[in-house]
């Protein structure tokens, strides 16, 4: 029920970046995030991208065995769950909305995304800033997504399609996006009819 401008999203993620820096995260560090779809998830992802911190999304349906494997393999400097959000939000709220640029290249790692593990244990795949940019830019061009479109994003952001394509198609096109916390068929159908999207992930 709350609407944000791109400028407000930018400022929020800058504040979050300062909060993450204050917790000791530096370029090249890994941050594991175990969260459902939310504006906090997007704030943290964009903060990581701006800092050069490698974002590691974890499927919220995973339990101890899968979590232990990813945490052991990714070796994160920090983990964020729902329990950490209140303190992190409070820390971010008091930070500056301005952020100095970090020296990154197009081939700098942006995320470490784990496979579903259907043929064995999950394997981590590094995605660069270029991976995210070109995937998004190609879809925006080929699907002719514009700022006039209305995008209903219901896929989980921990999944590479929503993270890589959903968020980046939204940012690159400037379209209006509604984010669902989680996909529920009846709710998605009702929101689809109410929101009248031209794009639906």
């Amino acid at each position: 029920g709350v609407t944000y401008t791109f400028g407000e999203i930018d400022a929020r993620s800058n504040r979050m970046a300062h909060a993450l820096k204050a917790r000791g995260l530096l370029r090249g560090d890994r941050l594991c995030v175990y969260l459902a779809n939310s504006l906090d998830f997007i704030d943290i992802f964009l903060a990581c991208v701006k800092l050069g911190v490698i974002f590691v999304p974890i499927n919220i349906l995973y339990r101890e065995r899968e979590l232990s494997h990813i945490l052991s393999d990714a070796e994160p400097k920090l983990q964020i769950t729902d329990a950490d959000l209140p303190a992190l939000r409070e820390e971010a709220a008091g930070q500056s909305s301005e952020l100095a640029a970090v020296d990154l290249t197009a081939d700098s790692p942006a995320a470490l995304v784990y496979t579903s593990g259907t043929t064995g244990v999950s394997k981590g795949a590094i995605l660069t800033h270029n991976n995210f940019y070109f995937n998004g830019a190609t879809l925006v061009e080929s699907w002719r997504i514009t700022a006039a479109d209305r995008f209903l994003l219901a896929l989980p952001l921990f999944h590479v399609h929503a993270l890589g394509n959903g968020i980046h198609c939204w940012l690159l096109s400037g379209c209006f996006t509604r984010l669902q916390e989680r996909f529920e068929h009846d709710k998605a159908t009702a929101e689809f009819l109410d929101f009248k999207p031209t794009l639906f992930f």
Side-chain angles (χ1 to χ4, degrees):
V2 181
T3 301
Y4 296 91
T5 67
F6 285 99
E8 288 167 338
I9 296 289
D10 187 43
R12 285 177 61 100
S13 60
N14 286 345
R15 291 188 188 97
M16 183 60 72
H18 285 296
L20 295 178
K21 279 175 66 177
R23 289 192 174 202
L25 284 166
L26 302 170
R27 176 184 171 181
D29 288 336
R30 295 172 181 187
L31 171 65
C32 283
V33 175
Y34 184 74
L35 295 172
N37 285 8
S38 65
L39 186 55
D40 294 302
F41 188 112
I42 293 173
D43 288 342
I44 295 165
F45 172 66
L46 294 177
C48 287
V49 167
K50 292 175 178 185
L51 291 175
V53 170
I54 301 170
F55 186 82
V56 187
I58 301 178
N59 186 329
I60 60 170
L61 300 179
Y62 283 174
R63 294 299 176 250
E64 188 174 341
R65 182 174 58 86
E66 297 94 345
L67 290 172
S68 295
H69 165 66
I70 291 174
L71 293 174
S72 172
D73 188 68
E75 299 180 332
K77 190 167 187 178
L78 185 67
Q79 305 162 40
I80 296 176
T81 67
D82 281 330
D84 304 304
L85 284 180
L88 190 57
R89 284 188 201 116
E90 188 174 336
E91 292 165 29
Q95 300 290 340
S96 169
S97 62
E98 301 296 322
L99 184 68
V102 174
D103 185 24
L104 298 170
T105 71
D107 293 321
S108 294
L112 175 59
V113 179
Y114 280 80
T115 64
S116 61
T118 52
T119 59
V121 296
S122 294
K123 297 166 187 68
I126 286 285
L127 297 177
T128 67
H129 289 255
N130 249 351
N131 288 142
F132 282 132
Y133 172 76
F134 281 108
N135 280 344
T138 300
L139 286 177
V140 166
E141 181 179 352
S142 61
W143 291 353
R144 298 183 179 138
I145 306 169
T146 72
D149 282 304
R150 297 170 65 79
F151 177 22
L152 180 59
L153 181 52
L155 288 177
L157 293 175
F158 60 71
H159 190 278
V160 70
H161 186 65
L163 179 69
N165 299 334
I167 288 179
H168 291 87
C169 286
W170 160 56
L171 293 174
L172 287 164
S173 68
C175 66
F176 185 74
T177 296
R178 180 178 288 179
L179 178 67
Q180 279 194 321
E181 183 176 344
R182 62 185 306 149
F183 181 81
E184 298 170 30
H185 184 268
D186 292 342
K187 186 176 178 185
T189 301
E191 287 215 5
F192 192 92
L193 295 172
D194 175 58
F195 185 59
K196 298 179 177 58
T198 54
L199 185 63
F200 179 52
F201 281 6

